[in-house]
Amino acid sequence: MSAVLKTLANGVRVVCDPMPGLETLALTVVAGRGAANEDPARSGWAHLLEHMVFKGAGSRSSRDIVEVIESQGGSINAATGYERTSFQVRALKGGLDLGMDVIADLLLRPTLDEADLVREKQVVAQEIAEAADAPDDYVFDLIQTAAWGEHPVGRPILGSVETVNAATNAALSVWRGALYAPDRLVISATGAVDEAQLMAAAERAFGGVPVGECLAEPVAAPFIGGHAGEVRKLEQSHLVFMLPACGAREQDYFALRIFAECLGGGMSSRLFQEAREKRGLAYNIDAYSDTYADHGALGIYAGCAAKDAVETAKVCAEQLVALARHIEPAELARAKAQLKAHMFMAREQPLSRAEQAAGQVLLFDRLYPPAELAHEVDAVTPADIVRLGERLLGSRRCATAILGAKSALKAGPAFEAALFAAA
């Protein structure tokens, strides 16, 4: 059975994707807005609002929201990103109507109690502190700022204690109406779901939401680049290197995914083999693509001893430049197989499948069948990889973030020098 995409009269889009043989379902309602829509004064508000709606919504208390789902064998969760906010329910067959009603209450009828807001600000403050205490998380906040500067994606999704404390219930209520407006809402259900039941539930829960005033979409972030570093007494230094690349809507998207896979996507990748297996420089090292709708980046992460940081940076630069110049046919074929496996294995998990479909609708206003995705991956040629490599290096910009001993901070400039000297 193939997935179906339909649209309610107010613009809310609905995806129904049955998976025969399953006794469970996944329901996600995704608002195609998030931290990237925040101005500096509201930094962290999308995440704070996600927390607050769980404190009470409709006629249910915070405890009721969880218990009513779990009493039927389900689970409920949410996540805030830069470009979307997701509310997710996993349930047994037959749990669709309840899941839809609870999520609708969260998005449309949160209580937003003043006492809850005071307490939740304290909770988020602890979450911010916890992230700062986790070096392998915090270093990615540093690289976001180094790469994207003052643009919203250059700020942490959690915001700061100051901006979170500035939020009021009245302001959050207005913000909720804009953030969760129907023009950017996608309801996506997979697994043991029926199209007629889903459409009836979606219409009942979300069909009456007024269109209202639409938020302007954020502009693509210009890649600023630069070096960020912080000295900490750690057993291991954490290094992240980033280059400007393409967005998810651009022609080179799949070439970027394959490039990252070849560079550092697995145990056969260039970085793993050279930095870990041959030289023993790092236990953890990988490359990744960080893409948004209209901009993106290629990133590398490594955790290593401070004494090896500079050498690790040079190896990363050298391997990146070498791949940008030439890719072996067997290497390209292996990366394509790995990428397709990642995408198709995710489709075997109902929640991942529902989220993937919602993302496609938000980006392209359509669904991509697996065969079409496979074709896009298989169509990438060695010339495409070289063209992407020229784009990665052609800007002569990079961003680096180093967290660890003082001597490790030299790895940032060392990466840049080795990268562009070799290029």
Side-chain angles (χ1 to χ4, degrees):
M1 301 177 68
S2 58
V4 175
L5 171 62
K6 294 189 174 181
T7 305
L8 304 184
N10 60 355
V12 175
R13 288 163 288 183
V14 185
V15 177
C16 183
D17 189 6
M19 300 172 68
L22 266 64
E23 295 298 320
T24 65
L25 62 90
L27 169 67
T28 182
V29 180
V30 182
R33 296 188 173 98
N37 295 92
E38 297 168 345
D39 55 43
R42 291 186 287 195
S43 179
W45 284 24
H47 173 257
L48 176 63
L49 180 60
E50 176 226 306
H51 275 231
M52 280 298 298
V53 301
F54 278 89
K55 299 296 101 181
S59 62
R60 299 183 180 94
S61 68
S62 176
R63 182 167 182 168
D64 292 338
I65 290 168
V66 177
E67 285 189 346
V68 72
I69 295 293
E70 292 186 352
S71 66
Q72 300 300 313
S75 61
I76 187 168
N77 205 351
T80 301
Y82 283 107
E83 293 187 325
R84 65 191 65 163
T85 308
S86 301
F87 294 84
Q88 308 150 348
V89 166
R90 292 283 280 119
L92 295 171
K93 181 189 292 185
L96 177 67
D97 287 340
L98 175 63
M100 187 76 75
D101 290 345
V102 171
I103 293 179
D105 279 344
L106 296 178
L107 270 69
L108 306 178
R109 291 172 288 276
T111 305
L112 298 181
D113 178 76
E114 190 64 42
D116 287 334
L117 180 59
V118 172
R119 284 190 294 268
E120 208 58 28
K121 286 178 179 180
Q122 294 174 333
V123 171
V124 172
Q126 290 304 308
E127 191 175 357
I128 292 170
E130 181 182 27
D133 284 344
D136 51 349
D137 286 338
Y138 183 62
V139 72
F140 285 97
D141 285 342
L142 293 179
I143 197 67
Q144 287 291 121
T145 301
W148 311 114
E150 295 299 319
H151 190 277
V153 299
R155 300 192 292 265
I157 289 173
L158 300 180
S160 67
V161 172
E162 292 75 21
T163 56
V164 168
N165 281 339
T168 65
N169 276 324
L172 282 178
S173 181
V174 174
W175 183 233
R176 180 205 59 78
L179 209 65
Y180 303 157
D183 67 303
R184 295 290 289 167
L185 279 186
V186 177
I187 300 167
S188 181
T190 61
V193 294
D194 171 78
E195 181 184 342
Q197 182 189 10
L198 174 62
M199 293 306 301
E203 181 64 46
R204 182 185 69 251
F206 289 95
V209 180
V211 176
E213 185 177 350
C214 299
L215 274 179
E217 293 306 304
V219 297
F223 190 96
I224 305 299
H227 304 298
E230 190 171 308
V231 176
R232 286 197 188 180
K233 189 175 181 180
L234 300 170
E235 292 298 320
Q236 188 179 55
S237 293
H238 300 269
L239 324 176
V240 183
F241 311 119
M242 189 176 278
L243 279 75
C246 60
R249 291 186 175 128
E250 295 186 58
Q251 175 188 358
D252 286 333
Y253 172 74
F254 285 105
L256 175 63
R257 294 283 303 272
I258 290 172
F259 193 103
E261 187 69 38
C262 290
L263 184 62
M267 294 175 68
S268 64
S269 68
R270 293 192 180 200
L271 287 177
F272 190 95
Q273 288 295 313
E274 187 67 26
R276 174 171 164 164
E277 297 297 286
K278 290 184 180 180
R279 305 197 193 193
L281 293 171
Y283 175 69
N284 287 325
I285 187 163
D286 60 69
Y288 61 95
S289 57
D290 186 20
T291 54
Y292 306 90
D294 298 311
H295 64 279
L298 173 75
I300 298 172
Y301 166 80
C304 65
K307 66 181 180 62
D308 295 324
V310 169
E311 186 64 20
T312 301
K314 291 178 180 178
V315 169
C316 291
E318 291 163 1
Q319 292 300 313
L320 195 159
V321 171
L323 179 59
R325 290 174 173 168
H326 177 72
I327 185 170
E328 295 292 339
E331 185 180 24
L332 178 59
R334 185 169 61 246
K336 288 180 178 180
Q338 286 292 310
L339 180 53
K340 287 187 289 187
H342 294 329
M343 291 191 301
F344 296 157
M345 287 178 186
R347 286 184 56 79
E348 295 176 359
Q349 303 171 34
L351 184 55
S352 295
R353 184 162 167 156
E355 288 280 338
Q356 186 182 93
Q360 291 172 358
V361 172
L362 286 168
L363 284 169
F364 306 107
D365 199 25
R366 57 164 292 196
L367 297 170
Y368 278 80
E372 188 172 353
L373 289 174
H375 174 75
E376 293 282 356
V377 172
D378 288 334
V380 176
T381 67
D384 294 328
I385 299 298
V386 172
R387 184 185 68 251
L388 175 66
E390 292 173 348
R391 175 175 181 172
L392 291 170
L393 301 172
S395 71
R396 299 193 70 83
R397 288 185 180 180
C398 69
T400 71
I402 316 296
L403 193 63
K406 184 177 181 180
S407 60
L409 301 190
K410 298 176 183 177
F415 174 81
E416 182 176 27
L419 184 73
F420 296 123

